[in-house]
Amino acid sequence: MFHIKLHTNNKTNHSANWHDFFSNSKTDKRVITKTHTTAYHPQKLGDSIHKICMKSFGYSGEAETTAIHVCVEIEKWLKDKEEVTSNDIKRKAAEALQKYNPRAAYKYFPVKQLALQKDQYGFIRL
Amino acid sequence: MASYDYDLIVIGSGAGGNIAAQHVAKAGKRVAVVEMNQFGGSQITGGRVPLSTLLHAASIYDAAANGTKLGIRGTTLSYNYPTLKAWKDSVVKRTGIQNTEASFSKLGINFILGRAYFIDPHTISIGPARYSAREFLIATGSSTVVPSIPGLSQSGYLTSKDALSLTRPPKKLAILGGGPVSSEFTQLFSVFGTTIHIVEKGPSLLPKEEPEASTLIESTFEKAHGITTHLESTIEKIETISAGKKILIRHGGKQHTLVVNEILVATEKRAVTDIGLENAGVQYEDNHIYTSSTMETSVPHIYAAGSCTGSQNSTHMSAYQSQVAANNILHPKKTIAIDYRATPRAIFTNPELASVGSTQLELDQNGTSYKVAVVPLSVIARSNISDFNNGFIKVLASKKTDVLLGATVVGPQASEIIHELAVAIQNYVTAANMARTMHIFPSWSEIVRVACMKLALK
């Protein structure tokens, strides 16, 4: 009997560049969530940015590059801080993401400041 | 009732922070001050105090260089800039930073070195530790915004703090921005022989001052020191070449280039807000934290004072705001409101420019009926004695009540003369009353009596 597997739990296959970047990025920063305090994982952030970019009509390569750029900007911002909230990371990531993928930025952190602006013809220009 | 580590945590040890910290600690409250950089804030260590020290030395050098007319001659008048710099450093050291630190410990104020970051409305994180407080005072100050000009970061630039640490004045300097900081650095370096070009987007230097004052300062710069001002000009790009830095300037439809050794960025300043204000619920914009007239932010137990509130970037303003915040922290049922009516401002050029209260443009915009008197300095005896007639006073008073509303003085010791006008404006004194008050002959302050007399007779 044949079994057709419609959904897969396999993780996305990332490029070597992606693995190189995240294998070297270790930080000692702490992130405060609603329930507990945890260590900051750049790869976790990278995965979530990649996912949101893919959902916003993105291509895997482009999504990976964007996620890496965002992670670099977050690490720069975190440089002089030891402890931040998860909401701070989300907000800052969305601000960084707006440069590369405004649609994904609003999806990632839906606030008025990141809302997409319609032009005079009613189109959203990306 | 929740218990906190402190009654008040002050973020920033500049004038906006330490005055409130001392007031509140004297009332027996538990206070901590958090500082990220050097104790005392940027005005003492890298702003007003070192710049004023160098300007004082420059004014002595300038006066000596121009003393030939009076019969004063020096065979070899010269300066040694490294010695000047050492003098400036010694002045900064003795300003009272150490004394303040000692007085902090006497008052039982805890001084914490590190970067404060709000993690909730009552808790901040500093390095590995967390501290909680019933109330907070944010006095983080402001930092220079570097304009996004292609090639600027690659070619390198000086901020005002860097310019104060130079070991010798640059030969050719381009200053971006035409505000008070730009004018004071122009004054400083031009005396020591630097060729200066000021590039300003707007139509005049010192746009917040009276137009007559801006024009006079601009023309004095051009005549006395050969300074070139590029008004209504924008910088398109900057390149590094062997001779220095090549700046491409656009003025109207025309382009021209400028080659200088250094570029000084003296454009706008922006409030330091990257301290987790979102986690505390404090509302802010890019250049300021919103405060009420009681210096309270959008969160009732968090106050703000100093240039982070978007007010004039001066120590006296920060200190005043800090005092108001301290009073309102200690006496929440007897709060006092901030009053900006008689805020004095001074720019230490030669001649000095000082002003207080409203400008003519502000009164026009508010629809206030007013009368105005402009008197040149040459009408008083002191001008003749000092051989200086390149200045004026402009006084504004209400047309209905004769009460003084604003004043601008351009001339020697303008920053001293302005204080009697500040007292007058603060206390609703009329022009006629000022005119009736005796002033010493022959002093520069006599000009105030003459101008108020002219105004009272209108």
Side-chain angles (χ1 to χ4, degrees), chain B residues 324-378:
Chain B
V324 170
N327 176 83
N328 296 342
I329 289 166
L330 290 171
H331 312 290
K333 285 183 183 168
K334 286 182 186 171
T335 56
I336 52 170
I338 202 113
D339 180 3
Y340 293 127
R341 269 183 316 116
T343 307
R345 308 173 287 274
I347 301 165
F348 294 89
T349 46
N350 185 16
E352 287 180 4
L353 190 164
S355 53
V356 63
S358 308
T359 61
Q360 195 172 354
L361 182 69
E362 283 167 0
L363 293 178
D364 280 335
Q365 284 169 349
N366 296 342
T368 312
S369 62
Y370 63 88
K371 50 187 181 176
V372 58
V374 182
V375 179
L377 284 186
S378 55

Short mmCIF file of all heavy atoms in Angstrom, two decimals, chain B residues 324-378:
data_model
loop_
_atom_site.label_atom_id
_atom_site.label_comp_id
_atom_site.label_asym_id
_atom_site.label_seq_id
_atom_site.Cartn_x
_atom_site.Cartn_y
_atom_site.Cartn_z
N VAL B 324 13.39 70.98 38.85
CA VAL B 324 11.92 70.85 38.79
C VAL B 324 11.52 69.38 39.00
O VAL B 324 10.61 69.07 39.78
CB VAL B 324 11.37 71.39 37.44
CG1 VAL B 324 9.90 71.06 37.27
CG2 VAL B 324 11.58 72.89 37.37
N ALA B 325 12.24 68.48 38.33
CA ALA B 325 11.94 67.04 38.47
C ALA B 325 12.14 66.59 39.92
O ALA B 325 11.30 65.87 40.47
CB ALA B 325 12.84 66.24 37.54
N ALA B 326 13.23 67.06 40.56
CA ALA B 326 13.51 66.68 41.95
C ALA B 326 12.40 67.14 42.87
O ALA B 326 11.93 66.38 43.73
CB ALA B 326 14.84 67.29 42.40
N ASN B 327 11.94 68.39 42.66
CA ASN B 327 10.85 68.91 43.50
C ASN B 327 9.59 68.06 43.33
O ASN B 327 8.93 67.73 44.32
CB ASN B 327 10.57 70.36 43.10
CG ASN B 327 9.39 70.92 43.87
OD1 ASN B 327 9.55 71.35 45.00
ND2 ASN B 327 8.20 70.85 43.29
N ASN B 328 9.30 67.70 42.08
CA ASN B 328 8.06 66.96 41.82
C ASN B 328 8.14 65.50 42.29
O ASN B 328 7.12 64.90 42.60
CB ASN B 328 7.69 67.07 40.34
CG ASN B 328 7.39 68.49 39.96
OD1 ASN B 328 7.13 69.32 40.83
ND2 ASN B 328 7.44 68.80 38.69
N ILE B 329 9.36 64.96 42.35
CA ILE B 329 9.54 63.61 42.90
C ILE B 329 9.32 63.65 44.41
O ILE B 329 8.64 62.79 44.98
CB ILE B 329 10.96 63.07 42.55
CG1 ILE B 329 11.05 62.76 41.06
CG2 ILE B 329 11.30 61.83 43.38
CD1 ILE B 329 12.46 62.55 40.54
N LEU B 330 9.86 64.68 45.05
CA LEU B 330 9.76 64.78 46.51
C LEU B 330 8.38 65.25 46.97
O LEU B 330 7.92 64.86 48.05
CB LEU B 330 10.83 65.74 47.05
CG LEU B 330 12.26 65.24 46.97
CD1 LEU B 330 13.23 66.36 47.31
CD2 LEU B 330 12.49 64.06 47.89
N HIS B 331 7.74 66.10 46.19
CA HIS B 331 6.44 66.65 46.60
C HIS B 331 5.39 66.41 45.52
O HIS B 331 5.02 67.33 44.79
CB HIS B 331 6.56 68.16 46.87
CG HIS B 331 7.74 68.52 47.73
ND1 HIS B 331 7.79 68.20 49.07
CD2 HIS B 331 8.91 69.13 47.44
CE1 HIS B 331 8.95 68.62 49.56
NE2 HIS B 331 9.65 69.18 48.59
N PRO B 332 4.93 65.17 45.40
CA PRO B 332 3.99 64.87 44.32
C PRO B 332 2.65 65.61 44.41
O PRO B 332 1.95 65.75 43.42
CB PRO B 332 3.79 63.35 44.43
CG PRO B 332 4.31 62.96 45.75
CD PRO B 332 5.27 63.99 46.20
N LYS B 333 2.33 66.11 45.63
CA LYS B 333 1.06 66.84 45.75
C LYS B 333 1.25 68.36 45.58
O LYS B 333 0.29 69.10 45.52
CB LYS B 333 0.42 66.53 47.11
CG LYS B 333 -0.19 65.14 47.12
CD LYS B 333 -0.89 64.83 48.38
CE LYS B 333 -1.39 63.38 48.33
NZ LYS B 333 -1.83 62.93 49.65
N LYS B 334 2.52 68.78 45.58
CA LYS B 334 2.78 70.22 45.38
C LYS B 334 3.74 70.36 44.20
O LYS B 334 4.87 70.85 44.35
CB LYS B 334 3.41 70.82 46.64
CG LYS B 334 2.45 71.02 47.79
CD LYS B 334 3.18 71.67 48.95
CE LYS B 334 2.28 71.75 50.15
NZ LYS B 334 3.03 72.18 51.34
N THR B 335 3.32 69.91 43.06
CA THR B 335 4.22 69.92 41.90
C THR B 335 4.38 71.35 41.36
O THR B 335 3.47 72.17 41.50
CB THR B 335 3.69 69.02 40.77
OG1 THR B 335 2.38 69.45 40.45
CG2 THR B 335 3.69 67.57 41.17
N ILE B 336 5.53 71.59 40.77
CA ILE B 336 5.73 72.88 40.10
C ILE B 336 5.94 72.61 38.60
O ILE B 336 6.43 71.55 38.22
CB ILE B 336 6.93 73.68 40.68
CG1 ILE B 336 8.22 72.85 40.74
CG2 ILE B 336 6.60 74.23 42.04
CD1 ILE B 336 9.45 73.65 41.07
N ALA B 337 5.54 73.57 37.80
CA ALA B 337 5.65 73.41 36.34
C ALA B 337 6.87 74.17 35.83
O ALA B 337 7.27 75.18 36.41
CB ALA B 337 4.39 73.92 35.68
N ILE B 338 7.42 73.65 34.77
CA ILE B 338 8.60 74.28 34.16
C ILE B 338 8.17 75.57 33.44
O ILE B 338 7.07 75.63 32.91
CB ILE B 338 9.29 73.27 33.22
CG1 ILE B 338 10.74 73.63 32.98
CG2 ILE B 338 8.55 73.09 31.90
CD1 ILE B 338 11.68 72.67 33.57
N ASP B 339 9.01 76.59 33.48
CA ASP B 339 8.68 77.87 32.86
C ASP B 339 9.83 78.27 31.96
O ASP B 339 10.92 78.61 32.42
CB ASP B 339 8.47 78.91 33.98
CG ASP B 339 8.12 80.28 33.44
OD1 ASP B 339 7.97 80.41 32.22
OD2 ASP B 339 8.00 81.22 34.25
N TYR B 340 9.60 78.21 30.66
CA TYR B 340 10.67 78.50 29.71
C TYR B 340 10.67 79.96 29.23
O TYR B 340 11.37 80.29 28.29
CB TYR B 340 10.54 77.59 28.47
CG TYR B 340 10.78 76.12 28.74
CD1 TYR B 340 9.86 75.16 28.37
CD2 TYR B 340 11.95 75.69 29.35
CE1 TYR B 340 10.08 73.81 28.61
CE2 TYR B 340 12.19 74.35 29.59
CZ TYR B 340 11.24 73.42 29.21
OH TYR B 340 11.47 72.08 29.44
N ARG B 341 9.86 80.83 29.85
CA ARG B 341 9.73 82.20 29.35
C ARG B 341 11.06 82.94 29.28
O ARG B 341 11.33 83.66 28.34
CB ARG B 341 8.78 83.00 30.26
CG ARG B 341 7.34 82.95 29.84
CD ARG B 341 6.49 83.81 30.73
NE ARG B 341 6.82 83.65 32.13
CZ ARG B 341 7.31 84.63 32.90
NH1 ARG B 341 7.51 85.82 32.41
NH2 ARG B 341 7.58 84.41 34.18
N ALA B 342 11.86 82.77 30.33
CA ALA B 342 13.11 83.56 30.39
C ALA B 342 14.33 82.65 30.28
O ALA B 342 15.24 82.69 31.10
CB ALA B 342 13.14 84.35 31.69
N THR B 343 14.36 81.83 29.25
CA THR B 343 15.51 80.94 29.05
C THR B 343 16.63 81.69 28.34
O THR B 343 16.47 82.10 27.19
CB THR B 343 15.10 79.73 28.18
OG1 THR B 343 13.97 79.13 28.77
CG2 THR B 343 16.22 78.73 28.06
N PRO B 344 17.75 81.91 29.00
CA PRO B 344 18.84 82.61 28.30
C PRO B 344 19.66 81.67 27.42
O PRO B 344 19.81 80.49 27.74
CB PRO B 344 19.69 83.16 29.45
CG PRO B 344 19.40 82.29 30.61
CD PRO B 344 18.11 81.60 30.39
N ARG B 345 20.14 82.20 26.32
CA ARG B 345 20.99 81.43 25.41
C ARG B 345 22.21 82.29 25.10
O ARG B 345 22.08 83.51 25.00
CB ARG B 345 20.26 81.13 24.09
CG ARG B 345 18.90 80.52 24.24
CD ARG B 345 18.18 80.41 22.90
NE ARG B 345 17.72 81.68 22.38
CZ ARG B 345 16.56 82.25 22.70
NH1 ARG B 345 15.75 81.66 23.54
NH2 ARG B 345 16.20 83.41 22.18
N ALA B 346 23.37 81.66 24.92
CA ALA B 346 24.56 82.45 24.56
C ALA B 346 25.44 81.68 23.61
O ALA B 346 25.55 80.45 23.71
CB ALA B 346 25.34 82.81 25.82
N ILE B 347 26.02 82.40 22.67
CA ILE B 347 26.98 81.81 21.73
C ILE B 347 28.27 82.60 21.89
O ILE B 347 28.28 83.82 21.70
CB ILE B 347 26.44 81.84 20.28
CG1 ILE B 347 25.12 81.06 20.22
CG2 ILE B 347 27.44 81.25 19.31
CD1 ILE B 347 24.31 81.32 18.98
N PHE B 348 29.34 81.90 22.24
CA PHE B 348 30.58 82.58 22.61
C PHE B 348 31.49 82.84 21.42
O PHE B 348 32.60 82.33 21.34
CB PHE B 348 31.29 81.80 23.72
CG PHE B 348 30.50 81.78 25.00
CD1 PHE B 348 29.55 80.79 25.24
CD2 PHE B 348 30.68 82.78 25.94
CE1 PHE B 348 28.80 80.79 26.40
CE2 PHE B 348 29.92 82.79 27.11
CZ PHE B 348 28.98 81.79 27.34
N THR B 349 30.97 83.62 20.49
CA THR B 349 31.78 84.07 19.36
C THR B 349 32.38 85.42 19.74
O THR B 349 32.19 85.88 20.85
CB THR B 349 30.89 84.20 18.11
OG1 THR B 349 29.69 84.90 18.48
CG2 THR B 349 30.52 82.86 17.53
N ASN B 350 33.06 86.07 18.83
CA ASN B 350 33.55 87.43 19.08
C ASN B 350 33.01 88.33 17.97
O ASN B 350 33.46 88.25 16.85
CB ASN B 350 35.08 87.44 19.08
CG ASN B 350 35.62 88.80 19.44
OD1 ASN B 350 34.90 89.64 19.96
ND2 ASN B 350 36.89 89.03 19.12
N PRO B 351 31.99 89.13 18.23
CA PRO B 351 31.32 89.43 19.49
C PRO B 351 30.39 88.30 19.94
O PRO B 351 29.94 87.50 19.12
CB PRO B 351 30.50 90.67 19.14
CG PRO B 351 30.21 90.54 17.69
CD PRO B 351 31.41 89.88 17.09
N GLU B 352 30.13 88.29 21.24
CA GLU B 352 29.22 87.26 21.78
C GLU B 352 27.79 87.56 21.37
O GLU B 352 27.44 88.71 21.13
CB GLU B 352 29.29 87.27 23.31
CG GLU B 352 30.56 86.69 23.86
CD GLU B 352 30.59 86.71 25.38
OE1 GLU B 352 29.59 87.10 26.01
OE2 GLU B 352 31.62 86.33 25.94
N LEU B 353 27.00 86.50 21.28
CA LEU B 353 25.57 86.66 20.96
C LEU B 353 24.79 86.03 22.11
O LEU B 353 25.00 84.87 22.44
CB LEU B 353 25.26 85.96 19.65
CG LEU B 353 23.89 86.19 18.99
CD1 LEU B 353 23.94 85.74 17.55
CD2 LEU B 353 22.74 85.52 19.68
N ALA B 354 23.93 86.81 22.73
CA ALA B 354 23.11 86.25 23.81
C ALA B 354 21.68 86.70 23.63
O ALA B 354 21.43 87.81 23.15
CB ALA B 354 23.64 86.72 25.16
N SER B 355 20.75 85.84 23.98
CA SER B 355 19.35 86.20 23.84
C SER B 355 18.54 85.57 24.95
O SER B 355 18.98 84.61 25.60
CB SER B 355 18.83 85.77 22.47
OG SER B 355 19.10 84.42 22.26
N VAL B 356 17.36 86.10 25.17
CA VAL B 356 16.47 85.58 26.21
C VAL B 356 15.03 85.83 25.77
O VAL B 356 14.76 86.79 25.05
CB VAL B 356 16.77 86.24 27.58
CG1 VAL B 356 16.52 87.72 27.57
CG2 VAL B 356 15.99 85.58 28.70
N GLY B 357 14.15 84.93 26.19
CA GLY B 357 12.73 85.11 25.88
C GLY B 357 12.40 84.87 24.42
O GLY B 357 13.10 84.13 23.73
N SER B 358 11.36 85.55 23.95
CA SER B 358 10.87 85.32 22.58
C SER B 358 11.65 86.14 21.56
O SER B 358 12.16 87.21 21.88
CB SER B 358 9.40 85.71 22.48
OG SER B 358 8.66 85.09 23.49
N THR B 359 11.70 85.62 20.34
CA THR B 359 12.25 86.40 19.23
C THR B 359 11.08 87.10 18.54
O THR B 359 9.92 86.76 18.78
CB THR B 359 12.99 85.50 18.23
OG1 THR B 359 12.05 84.55 17.70
CG2 THR B 359 14.15 84.77 18.85
N GLN B 360 11.42 88.03 17.65
CA GLN B 360 10.36 88.77 16.95
C GLN B 360 9.50 87.82 16.11
O GLN B 360 8.28 87.96 16.06
CB GLN B 360 11.02 89.84 16.06
CG GLN B 360 10.04 90.88 15.58
CD GLN B 360 10.71 92.03 14.86
OE1 GLN B 360 11.94 92.12 14.80
NE2 GLN B 360 9.92 92.92 14.30
N LEU B 361 10.16 86.85 15.49
CA LEU B 361 9.44 85.89 14.66
C LEU B 361 8.44 85.08 15.49
O LEU B 361 7.30 84.86 15.07
CB LEU B 361 10.45 84.96 13.96
CG LEU B 361 9.87 83.94 13.01
CD1 LEU B 361 9.30 84.61 11.77
CD2 LEU B 361 10.91 82.90 12.59
N GLU B 362 8.87 84.66 16.68
CA GLU B 362 7.98 83.88 17.56
C GLU B 362 6.76 84.71 17.97
O GLU B 362 5.64 84.19 18.01
CB GLU B 362 8.74 83.43 18.81
CG GLU B 362 9.67 82.25 18.56
CD GLU B 362 10.65 82.00 19.69
OE1 GLU B 362 10.62 82.73 20.70
OE2 GLU B 362 11.45 81.08 19.54
N LEU B 363 6.97 85.99 18.26
CA LEU B 363 5.84 86.86 18.64
C LEU B 363 4.89 87.05 17.46
O LEU B 363 3.67 87.07 17.64
CB LEU B 363 6.35 88.21 19.14
CG LEU B 363 7.14 88.19 20.46
CD1 LEU B 363 7.62 89.59 20.81
CD2 LEU B 363 6.31 87.64 21.60
N ASP B 364 5.47 87.18 16.26
CA ASP B 364 4.63 87.30 15.05
C ASP B 364 3.78 86.05 14.87
O ASP B 364 2.59 86.13 14.58
CB ASP B 364 5.53 87.48 13.81
CG ASP B 364 6.00 88.92 13.66
OD1 ASP B 364 5.30 89.82 14.17
OD2 ASP B 364 7.07 89.13 13.06
N GLN B 365 4.42 84.90 15.07
CA GLN B 365 3.70 83.62 14.89
C GLN B 365 2.61 83.44 15.94
O GLN B 365 1.56 82.88 15.65
CB GLN B 365 4.68 82.46 14.96
CG GLN B 365 5.49 82.31 13.67
CD GLN B 365 6.66 81.34 13.82
OE1 GLN B 365 7.01 80.92 14.92
NE2 GLN B 365 7.28 81.02 12.69
N ASN B 366 2.87 83.93 17.18
CA ASN B 366 1.86 83.79 18.24
C ASN B 366 0.76 84.84 18.13
O ASN B 366 -0.24 84.76 18.85
CB ASN B 366 2.52 83.94 19.62
CG ASN B 366 3.50 82.85 19.89
OD1 ASN B 366 3.48 81.82 19.23
ND2 ASN B 366 4.38 83.06 20.85
N GLY B 367 0.96 85.84 17.30
CA GLY B 367 -0.03 86.91 17.16
C GLY B 367 -0.03 87.89 18.33
O GLY B 367 -1.02 88.56 18.58
N THR B 368 1.11 87.98 19.03
CA THR B 368 1.22 88.91 20.16
C THR B 368 1.53 90.32 19.61
O THR B 368 2.38 90.45 18.74
CB THR B 368 2.38 88.48 21.09
OG1 THR B 368 2.25 87.09 21.34
CG2 THR B 368 2.38 89.26 22.39
N SER B 369 0.83 91.33 20.14
CA SER B 369 1.16 92.69 19.70
C SER B 369 2.36 93.19 20.52
O SER B 369 2.37 93.05 21.75
CB SER B 369 -0.04 93.62 19.86
OG SER B 369 -0.40 93.69 21.21
N TYR B 370 3.34 93.69 19.85
CA TYR B 370 4.59 94.05 20.53
C TYR B 370 5.17 95.33 19.94
O TYR B 370 4.76 95.79 18.89
CB TYR B 370 5.61 92.91 20.39
CG TYR B 370 6.02 92.64 18.96
CD1 TYR B 370 7.08 93.32 18.38
CD2 TYR B 370 5.32 91.72 18.18
CE1 TYR B 370 7.43 93.08 17.07
CE2 TYR B 370 5.67 91.48 16.88
CZ TYR B 370 6.73 92.16 16.31
OH TYR B 370 7.08 91.94 15.01
N LYS B 371 6.13 95.88 20.68
CA LYS B 371 6.92 97.00 20.15
C LYS B 371 8.39 96.61 20.25
O LYS B 371 8.76 95.79 21.11
CB LYS B 371 6.62 98.30 20.90
CG LYS B 371 6.68 98.22 22.40
CD LYS B 371 6.20 99.49 23.04
CE LYS B 371 6.28 99.40 24.54
NZ LYS B 371 5.91 100.64 25.21
N VAL B 372 9.19 97.16 19.37
CA VAL B 372 10.59 96.73 19.29
C VAL B 372 11.53 97.94 19.22
O VAL B 372 11.18 98.96 18.64
CB VAL B 372 10.79 95.75 18.09
CG1 VAL B 372 10.38 96.39 16.78
CG2 VAL B 372 12.21 95.25 18.00
N ALA B 373 12.67 97.80 19.87
CA ALA B 373 13.70 98.85 19.77
C ALA B 373 15.03 98.19 19.48
O ALA B 373 15.40 97.22 20.15
CB ALA B 373 13.77 99.63 21.07
N VAL B 374 15.72 98.71 18.47
CA VAL B 374 17.06 98.21 18.14
C VAL B 374 18.04 99.37 18.31
O VAL B 374 17.84 100.43 17.72
CB VAL B 374 17.12 97.64 16.71
CG1 VAL B 374 18.48 97.08 16.40
CG2 VAL B 374 16.04 96.59 16.50
N VAL B 375 19.05 99.18 19.13
CA VAL B 375 20.01 100.26 19.39
C VAL B 375 21.43 99.73 19.15
O VAL B 375 21.79 98.69 19.68
CB VAL B 375 19.88 100.75 20.86
CG1 VAL B 375 20.89 101.86 21.14
CG2 VAL B 375 18.48 101.21 21.16
N PRO B 376 22.22 100.46 18.35
CA PRO B 376 23.61 100.00 18.15
C PRO B 376 24.46 100.27 19.39
O PRO B 376 24.20 101.22 20.13
CB PRO B 376 24.09 100.83 16.96
CG PRO B 376 23.23 102.04 16.96
CD PRO B 376 21.91 101.65 17.55
N LEU B 377 25.48 99.45 19.59
CA LEU B 377 26.34 99.62 20.77
C LEU B 377 27.11 100.94 20.73
O LEU B 377 27.53 101.45 21.75
CB LEU B 377 27.35 98.47 20.85
CG LEU B 377 26.87 97.10 21.33
CD1 LEU B 377 28.05 96.17 21.49
CD2 LEU B 377 26.13 97.19 22.66
N SER B 378 27.28 101.48 19.52
CA SER B 378 28.10 102.70 19.35
C SER B 378 27.54 103.90 20.10
O SER B 378 28.25 104.88 20.28
CB SER B 378 28.26 103.00 17.87
OG SER B 378 26.98 103.10 17.29
#
